[in-house]
Amino acid sequence: MLGDGFIVLSFVAGLGAFLIGHVFYLMGFIRMSRFNKARLAALLPIALYSFFIGRQLITALQTDGNDGLVLPVVSYMLVISLMALTAILTGNLWATVGSILFVISDSILSWNMFVAAIPYSDVLIMTTYYSAQFLIASSLASIGITNRYQEGKSMNM
């Protein structure tokens, strides 16, 4: 919510607020992560996607004389990529889909702002953004249910 408000005043302030929000998501997902090779394999497509989008964004920022935005944008991309990876590592479907939708939303937003216009970007950004927030919040409820199930299961053993 703060990111939405700050981004109207300053892109960097909004980006910083969203970055802090993603750090909180990241920390929560790390605590719930359950590593396995299949989930860890998500690192490769996330890294490739981030590299492709990041390279295009950095080129566009530098071409337009926005060199001062390169470090904040790269930092944000790193954090949101790690947030998506840790969401996948939780094995929670809602967290996984929500984090991927967040990456898509931010990709559309940044591409539209710095690289090229995207038709219907406002609708695409907001539907993926609010869907992402809803699914990530829903993942908390499903995690609580899973934890209660696991506790009950261990008590019955």
Side-chain angles (χ1 to χ4, degrees):
M1 181 179 74
L2 291 175
D4 288 330
F6 286 147
I7 207 158
V8 173
L9 303 172
S10 161
F11 176 75
V12 174
L15 190 69
F18 280 115
L19 182 123
I20 291 167
H22 287 301
V23 167
F24 283 117
Y25 283 146
L26 173 65
M27 291 177 355
F29 291 148
I30 284 172
R31 292 190 62 183
M32 298 178 300
S33 293
R34 295 174 300 170
F35 289 90
N36 69 32
K37 289 179 185 177
R39 290 184 194 136
L40 199 53
L43 178 61
L44 183 61
I46 291 171
L48 290 173
Y49 181 79
S50 297
F51 176 77
F52 171 75
I53 294 291
R55 195 175 86 194
Q56 299 298 318
L57 286 174
I58 291 167
T59 300
L61 288 169
Q62 291 174 331
T63 300
D64 292 342
N66 290 320
D67 293 330
L69 291 178
V70 171
L71 184 60
V73 168
V74 169
S75 299
Y76 183 82
M77 286 183 58
L78 177 63
V79 169
I80 196 169
S81 298
L82 289 171
M83 184 274 300
L85 177 63
T86 56
I88 292 167
L89 290 175
T90 67
N92 183 287
L93 179 63
W94 303 125
T96 298
V97 174
S99 69
I100 291 169
L101 285 173
F102 225 127
V103 170
I104 291 169
S105 176
D106 284 351
S107 296
I108 295 167
L109 174 75
S110 59
W111 195 272
N112 191 61
M113 284 183 73
F114 301 118
V115 180
I118 297 175
Y120 308 107
S121 61
D122 291 345
V123 172
L124 294 170
I125 292 164
M126 296 315 285
T127 54
T128 53
Y129 170 70
Y130 283 111
S131 297
Q133 293 285 31
F134 175 78
L135 291 172
I136 290 171
S138 295
S139 75
L140 298 174
S142 66
I143 288 165
I145 291 167
T146 302
N147 287 344
R148 284 191 299 276
Y149 172 77
Q150 292 297 335
E151 288 170 5
K153 188 175 176 183
S154 65
M155 291 172 66
N156 293 329
M157 293 181 113

